[in-house]
Amino acid sequence: MRRGRPGSSPRGTPERALVSVARGTGGAADSDGAERAEGAGTAAHRQRQEERPQTRLWHVTLSVAGPRTPLAEVRRGLEQLAHDHPFLLTSRYATDHAEIRYWEEARDLHDAAALALRLWGEHRSSAGLPPWETVGLEVIDRTTYHQRLAEGYGPPPAVPVGVHPY
């Protein structure tokens, strides 16, 4: 935990700030006052938690395709994308298409899909990716992903993490 004023936690920090509660000289009234203040702080914290959108993990499979590109160039671009996007699990590629699998943290399926659809275009120049377009997208929640694997169907288990040719 960190110390600070109530509500001063930085963005993305789930921690609660420690707040001093003034105590009197003793006695039951002071103890009750401290308990009421602590209860109010807990209620305020609970309300902030409820207002904050809850995120979930989504398994994304993004398929892209386009004009033939030398394999070394495709590999180099995908390796840079894996460096730029740390949640990238695995990529498979050929001279004219690629498939990228990764986990995305988002509030809901719509947000996860929107982020996935922007991934290739936003990293195209910075990662040196080929000028391909998105031709397929699958976004499933974590439970469905694990259920599919347990039942023996669904996406085949990913090759070891990294960038691999088909």
mmCIF file of all heavy atoms in Angstrom, residues 12 21 24 34 36 40 67 70-71 75 85 97 118 137 147 149 151 164-165:
data_model
loop_
_atom_site.group_PDB
_atom_site.id
_atom_site.type_symbol
_atom_site.label_atom_id
_atom_site.label_comp_id
_atom_site.label_asym_id
_atom_site.label_seq_id
_atom_site.Cartn_x
_atom_site.Cartn_y
_atom_site.Cartn_z
ATOM 1 N N GLY A 12 -4.701 3.278 -12.877
ATOM 2 C CA GLY A 12 -4.318 1.882 -13.046
ATOM 3 C C GLY A 12 -3.803 1.233 -11.782
ATOM 4 O O GLY A 12 -3.434 0.081 -11.786
ATOM 5 N N VAL A 21 -6.650 8.598 10.581
ATOM 6 C CA VAL A 21 -7.925 8.924 11.207
ATOM 7 C C VAL A 21 -7.595 9.544 12.553
ATOM 8 O O VAL A 21 -6.919 8.930 13.372
ATOM 9 C CB VAL A 21 -8.797 7.662 11.401
ATOM 10 C CG1 VAL A 21 -10.078 8.012 12.123
ATOM 11 C CG2 VAL A 21 -9.076 7.015 10.068
ATOM 12 N N GLY A 24 -9.183 10.698 19.389
ATOM 13 C CA GLY A 24 -9.225 11.570 20.566
ATOM 14 C C GLY A 24 -8.332 11.044 21.666
ATOM 15 O O GLY A 24 -7.392 10.301 21.429
ATOM 16 N N ALA A 34 -13.896 6.564 15.439
ATOM 17 C CA ALA A 34 -12.874 6.000 14.557
ATOM 18 C C ALA A 34 -13.453 4.872 13.729
ATOM 19 O O ALA A 34 -13.169 4.742 12.540
ATOM 20 C CB ALA A 34 -11.689 5.507 15.384
ATOM 21 N N ARG A 36 -16.599 4.525 12.842
ATOM 22 C CA ARG A 36 -17.479 5.111 11.819
ATOM 23 C C ARG A 36 -16.656 5.672 10.673
ATOM 24 O O ARG A 36 -16.982 5.487 9.510
ATOM 25 C CB ARG A 36 -18.359 6.196 12.440
ATOM 26 C CG ARG A 36 -19.580 5.666 13.158
ATOM 27 C CD ARG A 36 -20.558 6.788 13.451
ATOM 28 N NE ARG A 36 -19.989 7.866 14.240
ATOM 29 C CZ ARG A 36 -19.912 7.884 15.586
ATOM 30 N NH1 ARG A 36 -20.354 6.849 16.274
ATOM 31 N NH2 ARG A 36 -19.399 8.908 16.218
ATOM 32 N N ALA A 40 -16.789 4.416 6.850
ATOM 33 C CA ALA A 40 -17.072 5.325 5.739
ATOM 34 C C ALA A 40 -15.992 5.211 4.675
ATOM 35 O O ALA A 40 -16.269 5.230 3.484
ATOM 36 C CB ALA A 40 -17.180 6.767 6.246
ATOM 37 N N PRO A 67 -0.081 -9.033 -50.227
ATOM 38 C CA PRO A 67 0.892 -9.387 -51.274
ATOM 39 C C PRO A 67 2.106 -10.124 -50.698
ATOM 40 O O PRO A 67 2.469 -9.945 -49.543
ATOM 41 C CB PRO A 67 1.312 -8.037 -51.861
ATOM 42 C CG PRO A 67 0.773 -6.988 -50.967
ATOM 43 C CD PRO A 67 -0.242 -7.607 -50.069
ATOM 44 N N PRO A 70 9.004 -11.092 -48.683
ATOM 45 C CA PRO A 70 10.065 -12.030 -48.301
ATOM 46 C C PRO A 70 9.912 -12.486 -46.843
ATOM 47 O O PRO A 70 9.600 -11.693 -45.955
ATOM 48 C CB PRO A 70 11.355 -11.225 -48.488
ATOM 49 C CG PRO A 70 10.995 -10.166 -49.492
ATOM 50 C CD PRO A 70 9.543 -9.849 -49.240
ATOM 51 N N LEU A 71 10.122 -13.796 -46.617
ATOM 52 C CA LEU A 71 9.942 -14.370 -45.277
ATOM 53 C C LEU A 71 10.773 -13.657 -44.215
ATOM 54 O O LEU A 71 10.298 -13.432 -43.095
ATOM 55 C CB LEU A 71 10.291 -15.856 -45.281
ATOM 56 C CG LEU A 71 9.237 -16.804 -45.844
ATOM 57 C CD1 LEU A 71 9.749 -18.240 -45.832
ATOM 58 C CD2 LEU A 71 7.955 -16.701 -45.048
ATOM 59 N N ARG A 75 9.207 -12.092 -40.845
ATOM 60 C CA ARG A 75 9.688 -12.536 -39.530
ATOM 61 C C ARG A 75 10.210 -11.357 -38.708
ATOM 62 O O ARG A 75 9.878 -11.216 -37.532
ATOM 63 C CB ARG A 75 10.774 -13.593 -39.682
ATOM 64 C CG ARG A 75 11.306 -14.071 -38.343
ATOM 65 C CD ARG A 75 12.398 -15.149 -38.525
ATOM 66 N NE ARG A 75 12.819 -15.648 -37.239
ATOM 67 C CZ ARG A 75 12.220 -16.610 -36.563
ATOM 68 N NH1 ARG A 75 11.151 -17.208 -37.059
ATOM 69 N NH2 ARG A 75 12.676 -17.007 -35.392
ATOM 70 N N HIS A 85 4.471 -5.390 -28.371
ATOM 71 C CA HIS A 85 3.199 -5.811 -27.780
ATOM 72 C C HIS A 85 3.487 -6.993 -26.867
ATOM 73 O O HIS A 85 3.454 -8.146 -27.293
ATOM 74 C CB HIS A 85 2.217 -6.194 -28.892
ATOM 75 C CG HIS A 85 0.799 -6.253 -28.460
ATOM 76 N ND1 HIS A 85 0.276 -7.367 -27.842
ATOM 77 C CD2 HIS A 85 -0.190 -5.351 -28.545
ATOM 78 C CE1 HIS A 85 -0.998 -7.135 -27.577
ATOM 79 N NE2 HIS A 85 -1.302 -5.929 -27.985
ATOM 80 N N HIS A 97 0.621 -14.413 -45.717
ATOM 81 C CA HIS A 97 -0.348 -14.351 -44.618
ATOM 82 C C HIS A 97 0.325 -14.665 -43.282
ATOM 83 O O HIS A 97 1.423 -15.231 -43.250
ATOM 84 C CB HIS A 97 -1.535 -15.297 -44.860
ATOM 85 C CG HIS A 97 -1.169 -16.743 -44.856
ATOM 86 N ND1 HIS A 97 -0.566 -17.382 -45.915
ATOM 87 C CD2 HIS A 97 -1.312 -17.689 -43.889
ATOM 88 C CE1 HIS A 97 -0.372 -18.647 -45.628
ATOM 89 N NE2 HIS A 97 -0.809 -18.867 -44.388
ATOM 90 N N ARG A 118 -7.246 -2.823 -34.532
ATOM 91 C CA ARG A 118 -6.300 -1.715 -34.719
ATOM 92 C C ARG A 118 -4.847 -2.157 -34.619
ATOM 93 O O ARG A 118 -3.948 -1.429 -35.040
ATOM 94 C CB ARG A 118 -6.563 -0.619 -33.683
ATOM 95 C CG ARG A 118 -7.864 0.106 -33.891
ATOM 96 C CD ARG A 118 -7.929 1.396 -33.090
ATOM 97 N NE ARG A 118 -7.456 1.275 -31.721
ATOM 98 C CZ ARG A 118 -8.229 1.225 -30.650
ATOM 99 N NH1 ARG A 118 -9.539 1.273 -30.778
ATOM 100 N NH2 ARG A 118 -7.713 1.136 -29.449
ATOM 101 N N LEU A 137 -10.700 -12.582 -37.557
ATOM 102 C CA LEU A 137 -10.551 -12.224 -36.154
ATOM 103 C C LEU A 137 -11.423 -13.139 -35.319
ATOM 104 O O LEU A 137 -12.600 -13.332 -35.620
ATOM 105 C CB LEU A 137 -10.984 -10.765 -35.931
ATOM 106 C CG LEU A 137 -11.004 -10.270 -34.477
ATOM 107 C CD1 LEU A 137 -9.604 -10.256 -33.885
ATOM 108 C CD2 LEU A 137 -11.620 -8.882 -34.414
ATOM 109 N N GLN A 147 -11.991 -24.131 -22.021
ATOM 110 C CA GLN A 147 -12.978 -25.192 -22.225
ATOM 111 C C GLN A 147 -12.737 -25.881 -23.564
ATOM 112 O O GLN A 147 -12.775 -27.106 -23.659
ATOM 113 C CB GLN A 147 -14.387 -24.608 -22.171
ATOM 114 C CG GLN A 147 -15.484 -25.630 -22.317
ATOM 115 C CD GLN A 147 -16.867 -24.994 -22.249
ATOM 116 O OE1 GLN A 147 -17.010 -23.773 -22.311
ATOM 117 N NE2 GLN A 147 -17.881 -25.826 -22.126
ATOM 118 N N LEU A 149 -9.936 -26.129 -25.239
ATOM 119 C CA LEU A 149 -8.727 -26.947 -25.157
ATOM 120 C C LEU A 149 -8.982 -28.236 -24.380
ATOM 121 O O LEU A 149 -8.525 -29.303 -24.770
ATOM 122 C CB LEU A 149 -7.590 -26.161 -24.504
ATOM 123 C CG LEU A 149 -7.003 -25.031 -25.336
ATOM 124 C CD1 LEU A 149 -5.868 -24.357 -24.577
ATOM 125 C CD2 LEU A 149 -6.519 -25.517 -26.684
ATOM 126 N N GLU A 151 -11.736 -29.878 -24.097
ATOM 127 C CA GLU A 151 -12.593 -30.781 -24.854
ATOM 128 C C GLU A 151 -11.914 -31.314 -26.108
ATOM 129 O O GLU A 151 -12.482 -32.133 -26.824
ATOM 130 C CB GLU A 151 -13.899 -30.071 -25.215
ATOM 131 C CG GLU A 151 -14.764 -29.777 -23.991
ATOM 132 C CD GLU A 151 -15.982 -28.926 -24.321
ATOM 133 O OE1 GLU A 151 -16.102 -28.452 -25.472
ATOM 134 O OE2 GLU A 151 -16.808 -28.730 -23.412
ATOM 135 N N HIS A 164 7.031 -18.118 -35.619
ATOM 136 C CA HIS A 164 7.370 -19.362 -36.308
ATOM 137 C C HIS A 164 6.764 -19.401 -37.709
ATOM 138 O O HIS A 164 5.634 -18.938 -37.891
ATOM 139 C CB HIS A 164 6.847 -20.568 -35.525
ATOM 140 C CG HIS A 164 7.308 -20.590 -34.109
ATOM 141 N ND1 HIS A 164 8.534 -21.054 -33.721
ATOM 142 C CD2 HIS A 164 6.693 -20.164 -32.968
ATOM 143 C CE1 HIS A 164 8.659 -20.924 -32.410
ATOM 144 N NE2 HIS A 164 7.557 -20.387 -31.933
ATOM 145 N N PRO A 165 7.458 -19.988 -38.677
ATOM 146 C CA PRO A 165 6.840 -20.175 -39.997
ATOM 147 C C PRO A 165 5.773 -21.271 -39.928
ATOM 148 O O PRO A 165 5.785 -22.097 -39.034
ATOM 149 C CB PRO A 165 8.011 -20.607 -40.882
ATOM 150 C CG PRO A 165 9.068 -21.098 -39.952
ATOM 151 C CD PRO A 165 8.834 -20.451 -38.623
#
